[in-house]
Amino acid sequence: FTNLIQLIIRGSDSELKADKEGVSDESKVDSGVPEVPVPPDDTPEVLNKALSGLSSRWKNWWVRGILTLAMISFFFFIIYLGPMVLMMIVLCVQIKCFHEIITIGYNVYHSYDLPWFRTLSW
């Protein structure tokens, strides 16, 4: 076990040295961690125009603040609609969650050719 740890430490040290020296070795072993792509900016055009003079940091704060207020307002609006609407929303969320779980299970067990999997689950 200690030999494995030493091997890992030596490997990471040699990678750090290669990175510092600017040497790119094409034969490096892939660590298995995928590269995370930078997500595109999905800010609505209205907010982009209104916040165009701000830095990206403050723009982010304003977008988060506006969406926070919108979500809180929507929450109070749902509460205002009454208990029947709340029960319907909870029922819809439960059905959708169960549907997602069954879909994941179906995709996993599809390779086993289990008959009537979805029907028996429902």
Side-chain angles (χ1 to χ4, degrees):
F1 183 71
T2 56
N3 292 337
L4 179 63
I5 293 174
Q6 290 174 353
L7 181 64
I8 292 171
I9 291 173
R10 280 190 215 134
S12 63
D13 287 344
S14 63
E15 288 176 5
L16 286 174
K17 288 177 185 174
D19 289 342
K20 287 181 182 177
E21 294 171 1
V23 177
S24 65
D25 186 13
E26 296 297 328
S27 64
K28 283 186 185 178
V29 178
D30 187 20
S31 65
V33 179
E35 292 287 328
V36 179
V38 177
D41 185 18
D42 292 338
T43 309
E45 192 63 35
V46 175
L47 287 177
N48 273 337
K49 287 181 182 178
L51 303 174
S52 63
L54 298 174
S55 67
S56 63
R57 178 182 178 195
W58 287 107
K59 184 180 184 181
N60 187 22
W61 274 97
W62 275 102
V63 169
R64 287 176 182 241
I66 290 169
L67 292 178
T68 299
L69 292 175
M71 287 189 290
I72 291 171
S73 301
F74 186 66
F75 173 75
F76 283 120
F77 178 70
I78 289 173
I79 299 297
Y80 174 76
L81 292 177
M84 186 59 75
V85 175
L86 286 173
M87 288 189 292
M88 294 305 293
I89 290 173
V90 169
L91 180 67
C92 291
V93 168
Q94 287 179 339
I95 290 172
K96 185 60 182 167
C97 288
F98 187 74
H99 176 261
E100 289 293 323
I101 291 168
I102 295 305
T103 303
I104 292 169
Y106 178 75
N107 290 337
V108 170
Y109 291 110
H110 184 67
S111 61
Y112 297 116
D113 292 326
L114 294 174
W116 297 83
F117 178 78
R118 286 188 177 166
T119 307
L120 289 175
S121 296
W122 279 103

